[in-house]
Amino acid sequence: MPFELPSLSYAYDALEPNIDARTMEIHHSKHHNGYTTNLNNAIADTPLINKSIEEILSGLDMENKAVRNNGGGFYNHRLFWKIMSPNGGGIPSGALAEAIDNKFGSFEEFKTTFSKAAATQFGSGWAWLCVKKDGSVDVCATANQDNPLMQDIGCEGVPILGIDVWEHAYYLNYQNKRPDYINAFFNVIDWSTVNELYLKGA
Ligand code: MN
């Protein structure tokens, strides 16, 4: 099988109380595992099998719903686990901090913009911080398992930070209080990893 469910670099309970262990376990071992299996099934015996996930998503036939949903799900969750850490929180530094200040004026303004994008994404989806080719950053949101790598999605650049706002990401602990979950997410963002992704993508 070309794609494998990535293991987490921390335990399911490591992000508590911000994200509870049960949610993490179901989210990773059931949801992400499902996207991974379904992606592998969808690309089996097709030319996509030899491509990276980035190549698959950026060259995607958007009518191919199986690859769109499961390829997006595979990629989005892989990024999501990576940019969280039990030692997360705080604020970014270095080149990323500068890019955020250039775009939003301050970290607080960025946080407000990102949180609003996440809170107002109707139904299931993701909010993103992306880096563009010129090194600038921007915030946007996409529905379902779409992401900014897909063409003409109304969201441009390479995602370096993403929050899953599907109910499965927060409902057990936060029920309908999505803004509380978004606020808690900021306590576990691993800004050093996001900065690495920024430097790689810029
Ligand atoms: Mn999810």
Side-chain angles (χ1 to χ4, degrees):
M1 283 301 178
F3 294 109
E4 283 179 25
L5 179 69
S7 356
L8 303 186
S9 62
Y10 42 80
Y12 286 136
D13 64 1
L15 303 181
E16 288 198 346
N18 299 290
I19 303 181
D20 64 283
R22 183 85 176 119
T23 297
M24 286 296 296
E25 182 179 0
I26 298 170
H27 203 172
H28 178 256
S29 70
K30 306 290 184 198
H31 291 277
H32 197 187
N33 194 41
Y35 294 124
T36 307
T37 302
N38 293 336
L39 170 62
N40 285 331
N41 290 338
I43 62 171
D45 303 321
T46 80
L48 296 178
I49 200 141
N50 295 315
K51 298 193 173 194
S52 69
I53 189 63
E54 290 82 2
E55 288 170 330
I56 290 175
L57 296 179
S58 57
L60 187 65
D61 168 9
M62 297 296 272
E63 295 306 312
N64 187 341
K65 293 289 166 59
V67 176
R68 181 176 176 176
N69 292 332
N70 294 295
F74 172 78
Y75 176 94
N76 297 347
H77 290 86
R78 191 181 62 175
L79 176 68
F80 187 55
W81 311 134
K82 203 171 159 179
I83 53 86
M84 295 191 290
S85 160
N87 305 313
I91 58 170
S93 58
L96 174 61
E98 215 169 285
I100 286 175
D101 285 348
N102 285 341
K103 175 68 185 181
F104 301 98
S106 68
F107 177 75
E108 280 310 310
E109 277 304 311
F110 153 72
K111 186 178 175 183
T112 301
T113 303
F114 182 89
S115 299
K116 191 176 171 198
T120 58
Q121 169 58 41
F122 184 75
S124 297
W126 293 72
W128 308 100
L129 175 66
C130 295
V131 57
K132 298 181 186 180
K133 285 197 181 79
D134 63 3
S136 66
V137 291
D138 207 355
V139 161
C140 60
T142 53
N144 302 316
Q145 295 297 355
D146 289 348
N147 74 41
L149 295 183
M150 298 173 183
Q151 301 300 309
D152 303 321
I153 207 75
C155 215
E156 201 195 316
V158 175
I160 57 175
L161 174 71
I163 180 171
D164 187 343
V165 295
W166 285 58
E167 284 189 342
H168 69 226
Y170 62 89
Y171 205 84
L172 287 181
N173 195 33
Y174 293 96
Q175 293 82 48
N176 62 321
K177 298 181 293 259
R178 190 193 284 185
D180 290 357
Y181 156 68
I182 296 165
N183 215 33
F185 171 71
F186 273 85
N187 296 332
V188 294
I189 297 176
D190 181 357
W191 285 110
S192 62
T193 297
V194 182
N195 192 38
E196 274 170 35
L197 294 171
Y198 170 77
L199 294 172
K200 220 188 284 176

